[in-house]
Amino acid sequence: MIPMVNLKAQYADIKTEIEAGLAETMENCAFILGSNVQAFEQEAAHYLGVKHAIGVASGTDALHLALLAEGIGEGDEVITTAFTFIATAEAIRYVGAKPVFVDIDEKSFNISPAAIEQAITSKTKAIMPVHLFGQPVDMESIKQLCDQYQLKIIEDCAQSFGADINGKQTGSFGNAAGFSFFPSKNLGAFGDGGLVTTQSDETAEMLRMLRNHGSRERYYHDVIGFNSRLDEIQAVILRAKLKRIDQYNQRRRKAAYLYSQLMADLPLQTPIEDSFGTHVYHQYTLLCDRRDEVMTALQAKQIACAVYYPVPLHKQKVFADDCRNVSLPVTESVSDRCLSLPICPELSEHNVHEIVSVIKSALK
Ligand SMILES: *Cc1c(COP(=O)(O)O)cnc(C)c1O
């Protein structure tokens, strides 16, 4: 059996270090916004090259609070991709704004800057690019558009921790960015967790209030906030894994290259890396017209595989009213043919060979 990710193997590797940190936290009993959260925020800010990193309860909350802190709300339009996880658009709806879905680039699967420009109206307030599957979005083009039309950028970095463009990390380009520490993400906690990054002191101060009941000082409340703090116990895990994130991402890239090399001659399209950035392969996602046959063959051998995402957001029931006339041909074609294979730092070369040989015989 080969799972999509092998969290067990990753745990075994860092068990001693984590257990010491957890034991100490339980002795100290400082469970909420304690020293590990503070230290993790500093270490993450340093790694990501941003002025502020604020721990929150999930990636979804990170995006929600980032939009709120940037003043996006009722009557505003936010342009984003329909080829993403639902949380990207949920966050836009939570603040009362309208998600406007535009098409993607066929090669990178990321939002198309040209499509964004066509969708800008007088109501557009922000663009929410998603660095999908770990591949950085073309941020230079997006920044240019945002300067020209005076729009904000909220990056969805849930799948891109450690990905960079010419050495500059995703999450350091926008007005704010949201990261997720859902266990299967490139940097995963042992439960839910998230992070917002920003270069703005003002946005950071608002975020620190929003995550903690609108309070700067205990029992004094300036705005209506939330209970959305990163847990101290999760911060212990994240500090241990942050030290190793480059090594983890390097191993993902190595596995991805081996897959692509071994499948070069098969009737499918292996992932295409944009030349300007470093892909961290949160997912290894290929396109194949005979997807069903490949999936059946893999499942028969107990090899996991998954379709991310089978129904793009503009085709979801929840957005039916908003999207009646929306047609996104590239997104639709990609979601009909995409298939994600197991990938994680612990995936062995042997596993990759095994998986490819099953795909090869399925496509004979
Ligand atoms: C995982 C994910 C989120 C949400 O993160 P949670 O921590 O699960 O709330 C948001 N956007 C994208 C693209 C994701 O993959």
Side-chain angles (χ1 to χ4, degrees):
M1 209 207 101
I2 306 177
M4 290 297 283
V5 290
N6 190 343
L7 296 175
K8 239 182 172 155
Q10 193 171 55
Y11 173 53
D13 197 43
I14 52 176
K15 193 170 164 99
T16 326
E17 183 175 335
I18 284 180
E19 283 181 351
L22 291 179
E24 197 184 307
T25 302
M26 286 185 274
E27 287 297 334
N28 292 343
C29 297
F31 295 119
I32 304 292
L33 295 181
S35 60
N36 280 290
V37 169
Q38 213 169 18
F40 173 69
E41 288 178 339
Q42 275 166 14
E43 289 155 8
H46 180 256
Y47 178 87
L48 295 168
V50 293
K51 198 161 174 202
H52 303 281
I54 296 108
V56 296
S58 71
T60 306
D61 280 8
L63 298 171
H64 175 202
L65 301 189
L67 287 163
L68 267 184
E70 282 296 329
I72 312 298
E74 207 71 48
D76 296 340
E77 291 179 359
V78 179
I79 299 174
T80 191
T81 168
F83 195 52
T84 179
F85 182 56
I86 185 75
T88 312
E90 277 178 323
I92 296 169
R93 275 300 194 79
Y94 293 158
V95 302
K98 182 186 171 198
V100 174
F101 299 114
V102 302
D103 220 343
I104 55 172
D105 176 81
E106 196 166 19
K107 293 189 171 129
S108 67
F109 308 148
N110 277 332
I111 195 166
S112 149
I116 292 175
E117 188 160 21
Q118 286 179 0
I120 294 172
T121 72
S122 58
K123 290 184 178 168
T124 309
K125 284 283 148 45
I127 297 175
M128 214 160 148
V130 181
H131 306 287
L132 196 76
F133 303 148
Q135 168 131 275
V137 170
D138 174 6
M139 291 309 291
E140 198 173 315
S141 302
I142 293 196
K143 272 204 112 137
Q144 242 167 37
L145 279 177
C146 288
D147 288 345
Q148 191 180 340
Y149 294 93
Q150 307 221 325
L151 307 174
K152 294 192 169 182
I153 302 175
I154 314 293
E155 299 173 69
D156 183 338
C157 301
Q159 303 186 0
S160 70
F161 201 105
D164 71 80
I165 300 174
N166 298 321
K168 201 168 149 42
Q169 289 283 319
T170 61
S172 68
F173 291 91
N175 297 78
F179 288 86
S180 164
F181 303 130
F182 186 82
S184 62
K185 298 290 160 83
N186 286 39
L187 182 62
F190 287 0
D192 281 305
L195 189 78
V196 189
T197 54
T198 180
Q199 306 282 19
S200 153
D201 296 344
E202 205 181 320
T203 300
E205 192 177 12
M206 180 56 87
L207 285 162
R208 289 203 177 90
M209 286 203 284
L210 286 172
R211 74 162 169 192
N212 198 22
H213 300 289
S215 155
R216 232 182 296 241
E217 190 186 339
R218 210 168 198 185
Y219 305 122
Y220 292 82
H221 306 274
D222 299 355
V223 296
I224 291 293
F226 300 84
N227 177 346
S228 181
R229 296 163 300 223
L230 177 66
D231 198 89
E232 182 73 6
I233 285 184
Q234 301 307 339
V236 170
I237 316 288
L238 291 167
R239 289 185 74 191
K241 290 199 186 180
L242 178 60
K243 285 189 212 157
R244 298 162 168 91
I245 187 68
D246 284 341
Q247 184 195 327
Y248 290 157
N249 284 336
Q250 201 56 44
R251 287 202 220 137
R252 284 175 181 271
R253 287 169 60 75
K254 222 177 134 200
Y257 290 147
L258 184 57
Y259 266 133
S260 293
Q261 188 194 329
L262 296 175
M263 295 194 289
D265 297 329
L266 296 186
L268 50 78
Q269 195 195 295
T270 55
I272 295 170
E273 278 193 27
D274 271 327
S275 56
F276 53 78
T278 308
H279 195 323
V280 293
Y281 290 95
H282 172 61
Q283 296 297 345
Y284 181 90
T285 303
L286 51 82
L287 296 180
C288 182
D289 292 330
R290 294 163 64 190
R291 181 172 73 185
D292 289 350
E293 292 164 65
V294 173
M295 290 183 78
T296 307
L298 289 171
Q299 280 153 4
K301 298 281 184 200
Q302 317 268 313
I303 296 168
C305 58
V307 174
Y308 302 122
Y309 295 91
V311 183
L313 300 190
H314 69 297
K315 295 284 185 194
Q316 294 284 351
K317 190 170 162 191
V318 63
F319 293 124
D321 287 342
D322 276 353
C323 299
R324 228 169 278 290
N325 300 313
V326 179
S327 152
L328 305 173
V330 181
T331 300
E332 288 159 33
S333 148
V334 166
S335 68
D336 284 343
R337 295 178 294 141
C338 63
L339 179 64
S340 301
L341 301 180
I343 193 154
C344 61
E346 297 75 22
L347 188 72
S348 69
E349 275 186 31
H350 176 75
N351 284 159
V352 175
H353 279 277
E354 207 179 326
I355 294 165
V356 172
S357 81
V358 173
I359 296 175
K360 256 189 191 152
S361 28
L363 292 175
K364 252 206 194 102

